Amino acid sequence: MSQHMNNDEVRHTLSILVDNEPGVLARVIGLFSGRGYNIESLTVAGVDETKNLSRISIVTRGTPMVIEQVKAQLDRIVPVHMVRDLTQQGLHIERELALIKVVNKGEARIEALRIADTFRANTLDSTLESFVFEVTGSSSKISAFVELMRSLGHVEVSRTGVSAISRGLNVDMPIRTQNETKD
Amino acid sequence: MTKTSQPKSHASKADSSNDLAVTGADAVLRVLEDLGVEVIFGYPGGAVLPIYDALFKRNSIRHILVRHEQAAVHAAEGYARSTGKVGVVLVTSGPGATNAVTGLTDALMDSIPILCLTGQVPTHLIGNDAFQEADTVGITRPCTKHNYLVKQAENLVPVLYEAFHVASSGRPGPVVVDLPKDIQFAEIDMGQVEPAKTKAVSRYRPVMTPDADAIRQAADMITSASRPIIYGGGGIINSGDEASEHLRELVALTGFPTTLTLMGLGVLPSEDKHFLGMLGMHGTYEANMSMYHCDVMLNVGARFDDRVTGLTSGFSPHSQKIHIDIDKSSINKNIRVDLGIVGDAGIALKMLVDEVKKRKAAIKKDALSEWWKKIEEWRAVRCLEYNQTGDIIKPQYAIHRLWQKCKDNDVYVTTEVGQHQMWAAQYFGFNAPKRWMTSGGLGTMGYGLPAAMGVQIGNPGKTVIDIAGEASFMMNMQELSTIAQYQLPVKIFIINNEWMGMVRQWQELIHGGRYSESYSASLPDFQKLADCFGMKGLVAKVTDDLDPVIDEMLGTDGPVLVDVRVAKEENCFPMIPSGATHNQMLLGPNDKAAKPVSEEGMVLV
């Protein structure tokens, strides 16, 4: 009776606090590839210099049972301190930054600038035949921007992947200040 | 890299043992001594020479020289599983480490605590494709519980303590510490040992004590069951002997039928009336039928392995399932359960026993006796019956006789992998935990012989038997030399059918009897093989030979290699064919035509 459950795949955004030590990213990625889980996006950077911790944001997709597995498996990794499922916890913010180069001439340049303006993109570089825009937002906003630019010239894209945090005053993964290093 | 002052301070160590500055190699041994390590299984090489030198000078820990690094890990596994201690391995860089990989994977799958020290090229050469360099931490990352590369001398001592702690606590497993050669020569301040020990346990803290509410809920569920079953696994053994005691108490208290996985054999005495035998692919009919028809299942320390569940969509379809496991990721991995409890099996069982005592009156005695009646009907099928007639020795008979001659003594059994392993699980009975060492998860042919060495080292004076198949035995038979060197009185009982029997069986059942490459050709004369290693060799060719040969084997003080020539085409039954459920067992050869393996089943292993 307990076998029947939802087998639809769902998208989850996970935040993982890890020791910033060699090989830790390989452990996380190796877990996903070795067990056949999906990674849609992964970002990592140090967030706590005092305690030498990094935060990894992963967007993954799977059935609810697989998502539970992903979290439990991540939690087993020795240098992993904390795993949070932002999607399950509720309201959270996901943002991505992208650098988009568009190479074009004439009318298309004006259109590109106009669209960039609507998307609140910054122009970081321009030549007579190209722009580099910086745009931040949800993944879908960035995808929409890229699609529009694609119709306006040759496009090159560099995206950071999703970074995420919960809304509200809950501090899930506190970092320490310099004078507050005791556990 | 090497400091010029090192050899001097090293040499003077003996007369000033309070000197806090020692070499890395010396520090390794001091930490192992402090951790109570008594024996190391290993093989020297260029990148671990400083540690071998320290081993020689300190002369504090026994070293067993194997003949292949894979065997070092299996021996350490046998040692660990039969003693409950951590098995320690020491191998060199490159091929030393890569040869250890199979053993490490085996230990990971079966949750065996192993600390494996590997030599590495000096730090300045890492990444240069140096001689005997391999990316050991990269290679062993997926086959260890955790691993370390020590790149700074000051990390050596803390890493060793943490590695030992990680290997032995929570769900045990293999941990690799990769030690570049310059670190082994570097100066280490042993003054930081105490803080290192404290720090070792601070980062990895597995949940041991389960949630009390969940235990109460479990107690409610099992005491209100009409058709309960207890399904125990290797987690009970890993937890320690008390866990088996608590399980026995729970069984006695409730009168519930109990089945054990391959890894759990011995938790309940084989002749206990509540014991239904092993479950799973080659488990008993009564165990599997009870699993299928139960209404409440209590899984303690087992992981719903595919060999146990058969087709998951049809696994125990009418039951509420409780799963107690120390590893959260084992819960709801293969089988969705109704109540998952994270914690140590021993602690959980003790708490559960206390809660069940309070609810003893609630146990449905009438329903339970009806359930037992049903189970007795399944038992009456006598699924393990075999036909021993004539001169040709049936493999089941050989193992059955061996058990009958051993049952009154405290013997330790290891196996290789294949038909003989399943027959050993079926026909050899175990009355205590830690007496049965087999490669369950990985299914490593060649495990049994080196594992038996480790068991013998850890349990001197005890009878240790490797129940082997001739093909598996040959995968690590170089270890006969190790056995001879240390005069380990291991008994090697080869069930010789001249086939890779389990491969042959599957080829017969699902590949139309095309026996592709599964014949054991050019076998040695095992008696002569024993002879050339200076040990006793015996052969049993016909039924009448069997008892005297077993008697002589058991009566011999030294190592014995026994070649038991058995019926060549005997298959291992009963069997749940691939892709089938527990209630679709094949009971014997006559059943196989009636229940052909499905197409979905054929793609499963």
Side-chain angles (χ1 to χ4, degrees):
Chain A
M1 68 181 85
S2 38
Q3 283 295 298
H4 302 292
M5 62 164 311
N6 191 352
N7 277 326
D8 292 340
E9 291 204 341
V10 279
R11 177 183 182 276
H12 277 243
T13 304
L14 310 179
S15 276
I16 307 153
L17 203 61
V18 299
D19 283 323
N20 184 8
E21 63 180 30
V24 67
L25 190 59
R27 288 181 208 283
V28 170
I29 293 172
L31 170 67
F32 276 77
S33 64
R35 293 188 183 266
Y37 307 143
N38 299 308
I39 299 181
E40 287 198 355
S41 155
L42 184 148
T43 65
V44 57
V47 291
D48 189 336
E49 281 176 24
T50 323
K51 296 190 84 182
N52 203 23
L53 298 174
S54 289
R55 178 163 172 149
I56 300 176
S57 301
I58 291 187
V59 180
T60 182
R61 188 173 282 280
T63 63
M65 204 158 150
V66 167
I67 299 289
E68 285 308 308
Q69 263 298 298
V70 169
K71 290 186 275 183
Q73 294 286 355
L74 284 168
D75 218 20
R76 279 207 315 168
I77 299 174
V78 173
V80 167
H81 288 269
M82 204 186 281
V83 180
R84 289 282 181 266
D85 184 342
L86 295 175
T87 304
Q88 191 183 53
Q89 285 178 12
L91 293 176
H92 66 283
I93 300 161
E94 292 182 17
R95 283 295 178 270
E96 213 183 325
L97 183 147
L99 301 176
I100 294 123
K101 181 182 283 184
V102 56
V103 178
N104 54 14
K105 286 181 187 170
E107 276 301 304
R109 279 174 68 77
I110 296 158
E111 188 58 26
L113 275 178
R114 211 182 345 248
I115 291 169
D117 193 42
T118 5
F119 277 77
R120 297 170 195 243
N122 292 325
T123 310
L124 301 183
D125 178 69
S126 74
T127 69
L128 292 174
E129 294 181 10
S130 71
F131 292 112
V132 173
F133 296 120
E134 171 199 11
V135 59
T136 59
S138 66
S139 299
S140 57
K141 174 185 167 184
I142 290 171
S143 297
F145 184 72
V146 170
E147 270 316 297
L148 289 167
M149 288 299 138
R150 196 176 273 172
S151 60
L152 295 172
H154 287 299
V155 170
E156 182 182 342
V157 183
S158 174
R159 297 171 70 150
T160 58
V162 168
S163 194
I165 202 160
S166 63
R167 284 185 186 270
L169 45 82
N170 232 9
V171 179
D172 286 331
M173 294 182 173
I175 65 164
R176 308 287 176 185
T177 53
Q178 288 290 355
N179 45 14
E180 188 202 356
T181 48
K182 275 185 195 152
D183 213 356
Chain B
M1 278 284 151
T2 311
K3 291 180 182 164
T4 47
S5 65
Q6 278 309 321
K8 194 173 162 234
S9 79
H10 193 108
S12 64
K13 197 214 67 29
D15 36 49
S16 62
S17 57
N18 287 332
D19 191 354
L20 291 180
V22 301
T23 66
D26 216 19
V28 169
L29 287 185
R30 285 172 179 239
V31 170
L32 295 182
E33 286 163 22
D34 185 41
L35 289 165
V37 174
E38 292 157 351
V39 59
I40 296 174
F41 301 89
Y43 202 103
V48 280
L49 283 178
I51 297 177
Y52 272 87
D53 198 38
L55 203 58
F56 183 90
K57 286 177 177 158
R58 290 190 74 79
N59 197 23
S60 54
I61 298 179
R62 188 176 183 198
H63 180 272
I64 302 296
L65 176 67
V66 295
R67 300 301 187 266
H68 187 287
E69 288 88 348
Q70 182 194 349
V73 187
H74 292 326
E77 285 184 273
Y79 174 87
R81 297 179 64 169
S82 60
T83 62
K85 300 173 187 167
V86 174
V88 180
V89 176
L90 175 59
V91 297
T92 193
S93 64
T98 56
N99 276 346
V101 164
T102 301
L104 294 169
T105 313
D106 193 273
L108 183 70
M109 294 286 271
D110 285 347
S111 310
I112 314 298
I114 297 291
L115 175 63
C116 178
L117 307 176
T118 56
Q120 182 55 277
V121 300
T123 47
H124 71 277
L125 284 179
I126 289 177
N128 281 19
D129 296 327
F131 177 64
Q132 292 196 330
E133 181 186 358
D135 174 9
T136 301
V137 283
I139 291 169
T140 60
R141 197 173 289 126
C143 65
T144 52
K145 183 174 173 186
H146 194 51
N147 63 13
Y148 304 83
L149 167 62
V150 181
K151 286 177 102 169
Q152 272 98 33
E154 67 265 27
N155 291 340
L156 176 66
V157 171
V159 159
L160 288 169
Y161 279 108
E162 186 177 282
F164 196 88
H165 168 68
V166 169
S168 54
S169 46
R171 180 178 178 175
V175 175
V176 162
V177 180
D178 203 20
L179 300 167
K181 200 171 180 183
D182 54 325
I183 300 291
Q184 299 171 37
F185 279 119
E187 194 170 281
I188 306 285
D189 175 12
M190 291 304 282
Q192 1 141 322
V193 165
E194 287 311 315
K197 280 169 147 172
T198 320
K199 188 169 170 280
V201 293
S202 71
R203 189 161 73 139
Y204 179 69
R205 276 179 288 198
V207 175
M208 299 296 282
T209 307
D211 179 47
D213 279 339
I215 292 288
R216 280 192 281 273
Q217 206 183 327
D220 286 339
M221 283 165 77
I222 63 171
T223 49
S224 57
S226 301
R227 301 185 307 280
I229 189 164
I230 299 172
Y231 148 43
I236 300 174
I237 293 177
N238 278 340
S239 167
D241 291 350
E242 308 77 38
S244 294
E245 292 303 322
H246 297 316
L247 185 99
R248 290 169 190 210
E249 196 182 348
L250 181 67
V251 172
L253 189 63
T254 57
F256 288 174
T258 302
T259 179
L260 295 170
T261 66
L262 182 70
M263 305 305 291
L265 296 178
V267 163
L268 197 63
S270 64
E271 288 178 317
D272 188 299
K273 63 181 176 151
H274 300 102
F275 183 49
L276 307 182
M278 180 177 77
L279 81 166
M281 183 172 272
H282 294 291
T284 65
Y285 185 67
E286 51 271 33
N288 287 330
M289 290 299 274
S290 305
M291 286 290 279
Y292 188 84
H293 291 283
C294 69
D295 71 344
V296 174
M297 176 190 300
L298 173 66
N299 169 350
V300 187
R303 59 184 175 91
F304 293 110
D305 176 81
D306 58 76
R307 293 296 102 154
V308 156
T309 60
L311 185 69
T312 50
S313 59
F315 173 74
S316 191
H318 315 294
S319 63
Q320 287 210 299
K321 300 174 185 72
I322 305 162
H323 186 184
I324 301 174
D325 205 294
I326 197 154
D327 177 7
K328 187 167 174 245
S329 74
S330 284
I331 295 171
N332 290 327
K333 181 175 67 181
N334 299 337
I335 296 292
R336 189 92 201 157
V337 297
D338 301 277
L339 177 60
I341 301 175
V342 180
D344 173 74
I347 299 172
L349 281 167
K350 181 166 193 326
M351 290 166 71
L352 190 59
V353 165
D354 290 343
E355 290 299 326
V356 168
K357 275 181 186 159
K358 297 179 199 160
R359 293 163 178 78
K360 195 157 187 261
I363 294 174
K364 297 178 175 172
K365 290 207 176 64
D366 294 345
L368 191 60
S369 78
E370 278 302 303
W371 176 227
W372 268 113
K373 232 181 262 174
K374 192 76 209 157
I375 292 171
E376 290 305 334
E377 284 172 27
W378 293 322
R379 252 185 189 162
V381 168
R382 301 179 66 84
C383 67
L384 292 180
E385 215 152 62
Y386 56 89
N387 247 338
Q388 176 62 59
T389 49
D391 274 347
I392 299 173
I393 304 169
K394 287 276 170 117
Q396 300 94 322
Y397 178 70
I399 292 169
H400 205 187
R401 287 305 299 159
L402 178 64
W403 175 53
Q404 282 169 336
K405 289 185 175 292
C406 288
K407 64 192 288 188
D408 297 327
N409 298 312
D410 188 19
V411 302
Y412 291 72
V413 172
T414 71
T415 73
E416 310 290 338
V417 168
Q419 286 184 320
H420 69 275
Q421 176 190 28
M422 292 297 108
W423 284 318
Q426 292 170 335
Y427 296 97
F428 206 100
F430 298 93
N431 294 326
K434 301 194 299 200
R435 299 300 188 275
W436 161 250
M437 276 56 61
T438 193
S439 172
L442 194 64
T444 311
M445 290 173 71
Y447 167 88
L449 184 63
M453 306 185 322
V455 174
Q456 190 75 76
I457 297 285
N459 302 274
K462 298 286 185 175
T463 300
V464 180
I465 306 168
D466 172 26
I467 298 180
E470 83 291 341
S472 283
F473 166 77
M474 290 187 67
M475 275 208 184
N476 266 326
M477 69 175 183
Q478 77 284 346
E479 296 308 317
L480 289 177
S481 176
T482 310
I483 287 171
Q485 178 180 346
Y486 298 96
Q487 275 301 299
L488 302 173
V490 166
K491 317 300 180 211
I492 306 152
F493 194 73
I494 301 179
I495 303 295
N496 180 1
N497 60 3
E498 297 180 20
W499 286 97
M500 295 161 208
M502 195 58 95
V503 174
R504 197 206 58 78
Q505 175 167 346
W506 280 56
Q507 289 174 333
E508 178 186 328
L509 293 179
I510 62 178
H511 291 283
R514 292 176 295 281
Y515 300 126
S516 181
E517 301 294 327
S518 52
Y519 184 65
S520 292
S522 300
L523 286 173
D525 178 328
F526 287 110
Q527 259 187 306
K528 284 186 184 161
L529 182 67
D531 191 44
C532 78
F533 280 99
M535 59 184 71
K536 183 178 276 185
L538 299 170
V539 61
K541 292 179 177 167
V542 293
T543 333
D544 286 345
D545 296 343
L546 192 62
D547 278 17
V549 159
I550 294 173
D551 289 338
E552 189 174 352
M553 174 184 92
L554 295 174
T556 303
D557 285 337
V560 186
L561 178 61
V562 183
D563 178 7
V564 186
R565 310 271 176 84
V566 298
K568 296 193 197 317
E569 279 159 22
E570 191 70 12
N571 282 337
C572 200
F573 286 111
M575 177 180 187
I576 304 174
S578 315
T581 51
H582 280 172
N583 60 339
Q584 298 170 319
M585 286 200 93
L586 304 182
L587 284 170
N590 301 332
D591 244 8
K592 75 184 181 205
K595 297 170 189 163
V597 173
S598 65
E599 273 186 40
E600 295 80 18
M602 281 181 70
V603 302
L604 301 172
V605 288

